[in-house]
Amino acid sequence: MAAMQLTRTHRLLIGVVVAGAVIIAGIGFAGSYAAVRKLAEEKGFGNFSLVFPIGIDAGICVLLALDLLLTWIRIPFPLLRQAAWLLTAATIAFNGAAAWPDPLGTAMHAVIPILFVISVEAARHAVGRIADITADKHMEGVRLTRWLLSPIPTFRLWRRMKLWELRRYDQVIRLEQDRLIYQARLQARYGRAWRRKAPVESLMPLRLAKFG
């Protein structure tokens, strides 16, 4: 499948999102630097306390950027993402410790990092989806309404979709309709006991569909 073509509007929106994410990251860094540096000084870090907050935030940015890059080229490495969120959680904890025992102050320190996490996760989701579509590897999901209205048959349909690696939802629906029509024809031809009366070669397509 050809690469997705970005319109001028798409590029503009991407620019706005990237700029917003950079601003959020910058505000978060500026807000946490003093608190983390002070905490590091209290813990005896000495002069290293001046660069300790920078090292943590730089590590988060590098790990997340590398995770997005590897996701884009379809060789994701989950440890990068997990390590980045672990460092983010550590930053929140360090900032929260500076405001402790004030619960409101502790919660306020977590707002900006959470916004940053959400924005990066949204970007990662988009990058992964675009990479799958470009490589013709994206697998569409089953609609929520079908799960709610008919959960058990939908699970069977979803199972066959995954086992056969059928990527298009409408294709799966057509195959399911063909299967039901074929089953109805067997019932009309052999009666209620069609599962016992029908020859093996006639039942084989249904059995293959069941096991994927």
Side-chain angles (χ1 to χ4, degrees), residues 133-190:
I133 292 174
T134 303
D136 199 18
K137 296 294 184 180
H138 173 60
M139 184 175 292
E140 297 179 357
V142 180
R143 294 178 181 175
L144 179 61
T145 52
R146 186 180 181 93
W147 283 103
L148 296 176
L149 296 176
S150 184
I152 296 178
T154 299
F155 173 77
R156 295 171 181 167
L157 183 144
W158 173 84
R159 180 177 180 272
R160 285 192 292 270
M161 183 177 181
K162 297 300 181 181
L163 290 174
W164 285 105
E165 294 190 3
L166 301 173
R167 309 193 183 283
R168 293 182 57 84
Y169 176 71
D170 55 352
Q171 179 187 8
V172 178
I173 293 297
R174 286 196 300 270
L175 291 176
E176 178 67 7
Q177 291 172 345
D178 293 341
R179 188 189 71 83
L180 293 176
I181 292 173
Y182 184 79
Q183 179 176 314
R185 288 176 177 173
L186 290 179
Q187 291 176 340
R189 183 174 181 179
Y190 297 102

Side-chain angles (χ1 to χ4, degrees), residues 25-26 28-38 40 45 47-63 87 91 94-95:
F29 170 74
S32 67
Y33 178 81
V36 176
R37 180 178 59 81
K38 181 180 179 181
F45 278 58
N47 293 332
F48 184 64
S49 61
L50 298 175
V51 296
F52 179 69
I54 300 176
I56 294 179
D57 289 336
I60 293 173
C61 293
V62 170
L63 291 176
L87 288 176
T91 301
F94 296 155
N95 282 270

